[in-house]
Amino acid sequence: MSTTVGLISLGCAKNLIDSEVMIGHLAQAGMSLTPDPELADVLIINTCSFIDMAKQESIDAIFGAVKDRTADPDRSNQKIIVAGCLSQRFAKDLPGIMPEVDAFIGLDQITKVAPIIENLLGKNNASEVTKDEGPAATEDPRDFVTLKPKYVPDYTTPRFRLTPDHFAYVKIAEGCNHTCTFCIIPQIRGKHRSRTQDSVVREVEALVKSGVREINLISQDTTYFGMDQWEGERPKPSSPVDSTRGESLSTLLREINKIEGDFWVRLLYTHPAHWSDELITTIAECDKVAKYVDIPLQHISDRMLTAMKRVTSGDYIRDLLRRMRAGIPGLGIRTTFIVGFPGETEEDFQELLEFIEEFRFERAGVFQYSKEEGTRAYKMDGQLHHKTRSSRWSRAMAALQRIASETNQAQVGKSVRVLVEQPGIARTEWDAPEIDGSVHVDEAIPVGQFAHVTIGDWRGYDLVAAR
């Protein structure tokens, strides 16, 4: 009988692709997959550890699986593997903290999960499963984590998509070269490493031919795509993109726009430092590129941007946003902010509120600062009381919710193109999957198809099509 594997995938879309790659390799190895953890010979938990809430969710999932295994005699021989960012981030600590876990694998091991499972089940020699490179995180035989990830997927990488048939995520790069003081991701996922443009285009072509109607381009910093491959001196993280020097996000979008088929491509996780007039023009001119941009700004106060090491200034951000709005008609901008960062004064926060009121983002969210061990901000002076962070979050969210209501009210009477997500539920160009709002539409419109509807009403963050 083949080995049966279950998988619990936590965290962001980037993590979801890692899960899809693992499942693809398991299927290639002839292993069976099950959505029911209790039926699995091996249960993989692909974890996230970006902020405290994500870490806690991952830890709860791990100990929940251990508890369920202990309570069910039929699962006594089940193996539990912890994968993903939590394993990578705490490689030295987890084997000692979690003796019940049978194996820990890092980000470079997602393509080697099948032989690791065979090793756990005694189906091959333990010496056949080794770490790729680098010193061992621990001497524990359950630890397969390499400390400096180098892996990046290709269009030939086996993958089993977990998203609905009509949309897919495409990871165009891995890692990040920025040193934002609040963020642990570069330490977890390593330096930025782009795929080749040809590799991405080939994957998108295959997805479109299979019926995918929405391509979501993702990485830690999509605007840095290709820049790490330029010949000569690499540009600094704060440099704007000049595609005449080589592949870039602009050249990639133009190549994707040439692909035949009825689809749109969405741009997620851009960094403001790398935007250029060329990229703005590219988005405006490419009819298959959704007029939607995800650009986390984090703050607008120069003091906070400097403390966060965002390599941008308030004036730069304001000017960029004005150029984006002027250059891309009908643009919807999604952004996120951090409130309660160490040293943030009431004056800094008021500047952020005024900025939110001035630019009236179509889609936006706010995070309370999360104090993450291993980041530069962890040891900064001026850590704010949790009640101050919470109060500022509530005030910022109230402003964003009011603006969202006014934005939706302004959509009433307009005709918009939507992609049907499930019976009676669709999304506009301004709505990324699993993040933004929805449009309530006629249930007779087929799932996975585009349609034009007229907006007749709105409810909270969602729109309602006229009947």
Side-chain angles (χ1 to χ4, degrees), residues 267-450:
L267 191 55
L268 299 176
Y269 312 124
T270 73
H271 193 292
H274 307 312
W275 273 81
S276 65
D277 289 336
E278 179 188 18
L279 182 55
I280 292 171
T281 300
T282 296
I283 294 172
E285 293 179 350
C286 293
D287 61 301
K288 292 176 180 175
V289 178
K291 303 308 180 270
Y292 170 103
V293 166
D294 176 86
I295 180 171
L297 298 173
Q298 313 304 4
H299 219 286
I300 194 60
S301 159
D302 284 343
R303 289 185 63 256
M304 291 296 95
L305 292 170
T306 298
M308 293 176 177
K309 289 201 71 175
R310 291 292 290 169
V311 295
T312 54
S313 68
D315 286 345
Y316 170 91
I317 290 172
R318 292 181 179 93
D319 177 67
L320 172 61
L321 293 174
R322 293 186 183 108
R323 287 188 286 120
M324 291 169 66
R325 292 242 192 253
I328 309 173
L331 177 65
I333 298 178
R334 156 164 281 285
T335 191
T336 51
F337 301 106
I338 296 174
V339 296
F341 190 80
E344 183 188 54
T345 64
E346 183 63 23
E347 181 180 3
D348 295 324
F349 179 67
Q350 284 297 326
E351 184 178 356
L352 177 60
L353 289 181
E354 292 170 6
F355 173 68
I356 289 171
E357 293 288 349
E358 179 184 0
F359 282 89
R360 301 179 63 82
F361 298 96
E362 286 75 16
R363 304 289 184 264
V366 182
F367 290 97
Q368 294 184 48
Y369 166 69
S370 179
K371 186 178 180 182
E372 294 300 316
E373 185 176 358
T375 64
R376 298 186 185 189
Y378 183 82
K379 296 182 179 181
M380 282 185 176
D381 295 332
Q383 302 283 338
L384 302 186
H385 193 277
H386 70 89
K387 288 187 177 180
T388 301
R389 298 198 303 268
S390 178
S391 172
R392 290 179 181 173
W393 178 86
S394 297
R395 291 157 64 191
M397 279 302 300
L400 291 175
Q401 288 168 350
R402 175 176 48 76
I403 291 169
S405 296
E406 294 168 359
T407 299
N408 278 349
Q409 176 65 48
Q411 301 306 302
V412 174
K414 293 183 177 180
S415 176
V416 297
R417 190 185 192 213
V418 298
L419 176 62
V420 181
E421 187 83 338
Q422 60 190 61
I425 302 295
R427 291 184 287 107
T428 73
E429 275 189 290
W430 287 2
D431 297 302
E434 304 171 333
I435 299 174
D436 299 313
S438 302
V439 183
H440 296 269
V441 298
D442 190 330
E443 292 188 2
I445 304 175
V447 172
Q449 298 300 312
F450 289 113

